[in-house]
Amino acid sequence: MLPQEKEIRPSWIGRLMSWILRAGEIPHHVAFIMDGNRRFARRSGEAPIHGHKQGFSKLAEVLSWCEMLEIPEVTVYAFSADNFKRPQAEVDGLMSLAREKFHQLLSEQAKLKEKGVRIRMIGEIDLLPSDVRQPAAELEQKTRDNKTYTLNICIAYTSRLECVNAAKKLLAASESSKGLAIDEQLVSKSMYLSSPPQLLIRTSGEARLSDFLLFQCQKAQICFVKPFWPDFSLYDFLGCLLKYQKVDPRSSYEEPLSAKQESYLRKLEESRAKQLQSYLK
């Protein structure tokens, strides 16, 4: 899904297993809590940033598996807003890494377009340093017309902040637009991420959601696995997909939105586009 310096090809056994799994239902949206990078680094006697670099490399590999399985949407928890409370040296290292990777992806726009990869930033983007916020916004703007795959990067994100942000916008809209029906579906579509994952995977053995997509994952199959994120393997991933296939599919029928609700969501999207544009100046 992301451009690679060297093509990542799973073993023939992995390809065979993925082919067999594709005979069953494959989720069209998978989310990952990429946990365990710091513990991975500590285990090797390295600084935390080493684990985060390895974690990014693993993300590229995992996205290649999703592409192989034709999973069109992936959401990853890259950086919690709460992580700004970590030691400043670690935060600075993470922001530097994010800036480097965003610029790298910007230099590979042609490949992203060829693969049809759209990248969206999910979270409180204004909390990011300007030299990270600018390439992040540019990356979203430059890939917005790509249609085959969507990669949602949750950065400076928590579910609580997302819900507060949606509530503020809905409150303002209800005061200015009489007759706007605020129901569960409109609240859902007012979130930064309105597409609910069918499968959520967390690595490192931790069995908690850490304020990630709490509203969106109400019907998701949740899979907790023991390996740290850099150690996460194709077989771990296929095991999670197999567990997903054992669960009865859940209906996702939605009532049609009213004209006023559609109008509100269009204005919300326009406001988002203007916000991103302001970061590019």
Side-chain angles (χ1 to χ4, degrees):
M1 192 181 293
L2 291 184
Q4 301 293 324
E5 292 181 5
K6 183 178 180 181
E7 185 181 6
I8 299 171
R9 290 187 60 82
S11 69
W12 70 269
I13 297 177
R15 294 198 301 274
L16 176 61
M17 289 175 64
S18 67
W19 182 80
I20 293 171
L21 278 174
R22 284 174 61 181
E25 182 186 353
I26 296 291
H28 59 78
H29 185 179
V30 178
F32 295 93
I33 300 178
M34 306 181 292
D35 194 25
N37 291 336
R38 292 193 298 171
R39 280 171 283 170
F40 174 86
R42 194 181 305 130
R43 186 183 66 192
S44 306
E46 301 280 357
I49 194 63
H50 170 76
H52 295 304
K53 288 179 178 179
Q54 293 299 312
F56 185 87
S57 297
K58 178 56 63 173
L59 172 60
E61 185 177 6
V62 170
L63 291 175
S64 74
W65 304 338
C66 293
E67 183 179 358
M68 176 178 68
L69 289 158
E70 298 180 355
I71 297 171
E73 186 167 6
V74 176
T75 300
V76 297
Y77 204 179
F79 187 82
S80 166
D82 292 335
N83 287 350
F84 282 114
K85 300 172 186 176
R86 289 182 176 179
Q88 193 59 47
E90 183 179 350
V91 173
D92 290 345
L94 281 165
M95 290 297 102
S96 177
L97 180 62
R99 181 173 60 251
E100 174 192 335
K101 297 304 180 183
F102 291 159
H103 279 296
Q104 179 183 334
L105 289 172
L106 281 170
S107 72
E108 296 173 325
Q109 289 176 56
K111 293 180 181 178
L112 291 172
K113 185 175 182 179
E114 182 183 346
K115 285 177 172 284
V117 180
R118 178 190 183 196
I119 296 178
R120 296 186 66 232
M121 300 296 162
I122 308 295
E124 304 293 320
I125 308 303
D126 354 358
L127 297 179
L128 297 171
S130 60
D131 60 352
V132 177
R133 186 169 61 229
Q134 188 275 333
E138 186 177 356
L139 190 55
E140 179 165 339
Q141 290 281 66
K142 292 287 179 64
T143 63
R144 63 184 176 183
D145 295 326
N146 298 340
K147 304 294 185 184
T148 307
Y149 299 104
T150 298
L151 172 61
N152 303 303
I153 301 176
C154 293
I155 186 167
Y157 171 91
T158 69
S159 188
R160 289 169 297 169
L161 288 174
E162 182 182 31
C163 289
V164 168
N165 182 283
K168 287 179 178 178
K169 290 177 180 176
L170 286 165
L171 180 60
S174 67
E175 291 174 348
S176 62
S177 176
K178 292 183 179 180
L180 177 65
I182 299 178
D183 53 21
E184 182 180 338
Q185 188 176 350
L186 187 63
V187 172
S188 175
K189 291 186 178 298
S190 299
M191 296 291 180
Y192 287 139
L193 182 68
S194 60
S195 169
Q198 286 76 52
L199 175 63
L200 169 63
I201 299 172
R202 178 172 185 153
T203 56
S204 89
E206 297 286 347
R208 52 196 172 91
L209 296 181
S210 295
D211 209 359
F212 181 58
L213 304 183
L214 301 182
F215 191 92
Q216 295 89 338
C217 284
Q218 56 176 318
K219 295 182 180 179
Q221 174 74 10
I222 300 175
C223 189
F224 300 111
V225 295
K226 290 184 178 181
F228 298 145
W229 174 250
D231 293 325
F232 186 63
S233 72
L234 174 60
Y235 303 105
D236 295 319
F237 185 37
L238 296 178
C240 291
L241 290 173
L242 184 59
K243 290 178 182 177
Y244 169 82
Q245 291 183 342
K246 291 180 179 178
V247 177
D248 292 334
R250 297 166 186 180
S251 172
S252 59
Y253 172 75
E254 294 181 347
E255 293 285 345
L257 294 167
S258 69
K260 285 193 173 182
Q261 288 176 321
E262 292 278 12
S263 176
Y264 162 72
L265 292 173
R266 280 196 300 272
K267 290 177 181 177
L268 203 61
E269 189 62 31
E270 289 168 4
S271 174
R272 165 74 174 174
K274 287 179 181 178
Q275 180 189 33
L276 290 173
Q277 191 63 38
S278 72
Y279 297 150
L280 301 180
K281 297 177 181 178

